[in-house]
Amino acid sequence: QVQLVESGGGSVQAGGSLRLSCAVHGDTYRRACMGWFRQLPGKEREGVAIIDSEHSAGYVESVKGRFTISMDVAKNILYLEMNSLKPDDTAMYYCAAYKLGTSCPTVNDLHWPDFGFWGQGTQVTVSS
Protein backbone atom coordinates (compact mmCIF):
# COMPACT_ATOMS: atom_id res chain seq x y z
CA GLN A 1 0.00 0.00 0.00
CA VAL A 2 1.08 3.60 -0.51
CA GLN A 3 -0.04 6.89 0.94
CA LEU A 4 0.54 10.20 -0.83
CA VAL A 5 0.45 13.59 0.88
CA GLU A 6 0.51 16.76 -1.22
CA SER A 7 1.58 20.21 -0.04
CA GLY A 8 2.86 23.50 -1.39
CA GLY A 9 -0.22 25.00 -2.98
CA GLY A 10 -1.24 28.60 -2.48
CA SER A 11 -2.35 31.83 -4.11
CA VAL A 12 -0.07 33.70 -6.50
CA GLN A 13 -0.36 36.32 -9.18
CA ALA A 14 0.01 35.48 -12.84
CA GLY A 15 3.65 35.02 -13.73
CA GLY A 16 4.50 33.71 -10.29
CA SER A 17 5.87 30.35 -9.21
CA LEU A 18 5.01 27.55 -6.82
CA ARG A 19 6.56 24.21 -5.98
CA LEU A 20 4.26 21.37 -5.06
CA SER A 21 5.48 18.42 -3.03
CA CYS A 22 4.08 14.92 -2.71
CA ALA A 23 5.46 12.78 0.10
CA VAL A 24 5.37 9.07 -0.72
CA HIS A 25 4.81 6.72 2.20
CA GLY A 26 4.69 2.93 1.95
CA ASP A 27 5.43 0.72 -1.07
CA THR A 28 8.22 2.58 -2.83
CA TYR A 29 7.92 0.40 -5.95
CA ARG A 30 4.92 2.57 -6.78
CA ARG A 31 7.41 5.33 -7.52
CA ALA A 32 8.08 3.53 -10.81
CA CYS A 33 5.51 5.76 -12.46
CA MET A 34 3.95 8.77 -10.78
CA GLY A 35 2.03 11.76 -12.00
CA TRP A 36 0.50 15.09 -11.17
CA PHE A 37 -3.11 15.79 -12.05
CA ARG A 38 -5.40 18.78 -11.59
CA GLN A 39 -9.12 19.26 -11.32
CA LEU A 40 -11.61 22.10 -11.32
CA PRO A 41 -14.99 21.71 -9.57
CA GLY A 42 -17.41 19.89 -11.84
CA LYS A 43 -14.74 18.98 -14.35
CA GLU A 44 -12.84 15.79 -15.04
CA ARG A 45 -9.42 15.32 -13.51
CA GLU A 46 -6.72 15.95 -16.11
CA GLY A 47 -3.14 14.78 -16.25
CA VAL A 48 -0.41 17.40 -16.07
CA ALA A 49 2.91 15.55 -15.92
CA ILE A 50 4.34 12.07 -15.35
CA ILE A 51 7.74 10.68 -14.44
CA ASP A 52 9.14 7.16 -14.52
CA SER A 53 11.86 5.36 -12.58
CA GLU A 54 14.48 6.55 -15.09
CA HIS A 55 13.39 10.14 -14.33
CA SER A 56 12.04 10.44 -17.84
CA ALA A 57 9.23 13.02 -17.78
CA GLY A 58 6.24 13.87 -19.94
CA TYR A 59 4.07 16.98 -19.93
CA VAL A 60 0.76 17.98 -21.42
CA GLU A 61 1.09 20.71 -24.02
CA SER A 62 -0.43 23.44 -21.86
CA VAL A 63 2.35 23.25 -19.25
CA LYS A 64 5.37 22.38 -21.37
CA GLY A 65 8.27 24.73 -20.74
CA ARG A 66 6.66 26.06 -17.56
CA PHE A 67 6.30 23.02 -15.25
CA THR A 68 8.97 20.54 -14.19
CA ILE A 69 8.26 17.21 -12.50
CA SER A 70 10.98 15.51 -10.49
CA MET A 71 11.46 12.77 -7.91
CA ASP A 72 13.85 12.88 -4.97
CA VAL A 73 14.35 9.17 -4.46
CA ALA A 74 16.32 9.56 -1.23
CA LYS A 75 13.55 11.61 0.37
CA ASN A 76 10.64 9.82 -1.35
CA ILE A 77 9.18 13.14 -2.49
CA LEU A 78 7.66 13.93 -5.87
CA TYR A 79 7.81 17.58 -6.91
CA LEU A 80 6.09 19.80 -9.43
CA GLU A 81 7.89 23.06 -10.03
CA MET A 82 5.47 25.52 -11.63
CA ASN A 83 6.71 28.73 -13.23
CA SER A 84 5.07 31.47 -15.31
CA LEU A 85 1.75 30.53 -13.77
CA LYS A 86 -1.45 31.54 -15.54
CA PRO A 87 -5.01 31.95 -14.23
CA ASP A 88 -5.89 28.82 -16.28
CA ASP A 89 -3.58 26.84 -13.99
CA THR A 90 -5.95 27.43 -11.08
CA ALA A 91 -7.13 24.02 -9.82
CA MET A 92 -6.80 21.44 -7.10
CA TYR A 93 -3.59 19.51 -7.77
CA TYR A 94 -3.16 15.84 -6.92
CA CYS A 95 -0.32 13.37 -7.12
CA ALA A 96 -0.94 9.72 -7.86
CA ALA A 97 0.83 6.47 -8.64
CA TYR A 98 0.23 4.34 -11.73
CA LYS A 99 -1.81 1.22 -10.92
CA LEU A 100 -1.29 -0.79 -14.09
CA GLY A 101 2.38 -1.68 -13.91
CA THR A 102 5.81 -0.16 -13.76
CA SER A 103 6.02 1.30 -17.26
CA CYS A 104 4.59 4.78 -17.55
CA PRO A 105 1.99 5.49 -20.22
CA THR A 106 2.76 8.25 -22.68
CA VAL A 107 1.47 11.67 -21.77
CA ASN A 108 -1.10 11.33 -24.58
CA ASP A 109 -2.49 8.23 -22.82
CA LEU A 110 -2.67 9.81 -19.39
CA HIS A 111 -5.99 8.67 -17.94
CA TRP A 112 -6.70 9.39 -14.30
CA PRO A 113 -8.57 6.09 -13.66
CA ASP A 114 -5.30 4.27 -14.38
CA PHE A 115 -3.74 5.99 -11.37
CA GLY A 116 -4.53 5.53 -7.71
CA PHE A 117 -3.54 6.16 -4.12
CA TRP A 118 -4.71 9.76 -4.49
CA GLY A 119 -3.73 12.28 -1.86
CA GLN A 120 -6.03 14.94 -0.49
CA GLY A 121 -4.87 17.50 -3.03
CA THR A 122 -3.42 20.98 -2.71
CA GLN A 123 -5.14 24.09 -4.06
CA VAL A 124 -3.39 26.38 -6.52
CA THR A 125 -5.01 29.74 -7.27
CA VAL A 126 -3.53 32.12 -9.83
CA SER A 127 -4.96 35.61 -10.06
CA SER A 128 -4.63 37.92 -13.06
Side-chain angles (χ1 to χ4, degrees):
Q1 197 57 281
V2 63
Q3 182 182 15
L4 306 176
V5 181
E6 301 97 334
S7 62
S11 297
V12 296
Q13 290 194 321
S17 299
L18 284 172
R19 186 175 77 161
L20 306 184
S21 299
C22 170
V24 182
H25 304 281
D27 294 336
T28 55
Y29 78 92
R30 291 290 182 183
R31 292 183 324 211
C33 178
M34 296 195 67
W36 284 98
F37 294 75
R38 62 188 180 187
Q39 187 173 24
L40 284 169
K43 293 201 172 181
E44 188 161 319
R45 198 164 292 188
E46 65 166 354
V48 174
I50 52 172
I51 188 168
D52 65 16
S53 58
E54 301 296 319
H55 300 278
S56 178
Y59 303 90
V60 294
E61 198 64 37
S62 60
V63 308
K64 271 184 184 176
R66 301 188 298 122
F67 290 12
T68 302
I69 187 172
S70 62
M71 169 67 81
D72 186 325
V73 175
K75 295 182 179 178
N76 283 333
I77 298 177
L78 177 73
Y79 296 103
L80 185 68
E81 186 77 36
M82 306 187 295
N83 298 312
S84 302
L85 282 162
K86 305 175 181 180
D88 284 349
D89 296 318
T90 295
M92 184 71 81
Y93 283 72
Y94 300 88
C95 61
Y98 191 52
K99 297 188 296 185
L100 303 184
T102 56
S103 296
C104 265
T106 66
V107 70
N108 292 327
D109 288 323
L110 205 55
H111 306 296
W112 70 265
D114 297 337
F115 287 74
F117 312 102
W118 298 94
Q120 82 289 349
T122 187
Q123 177 68 38
V124 171
T125 303
V126 185
S127 58
S128 57

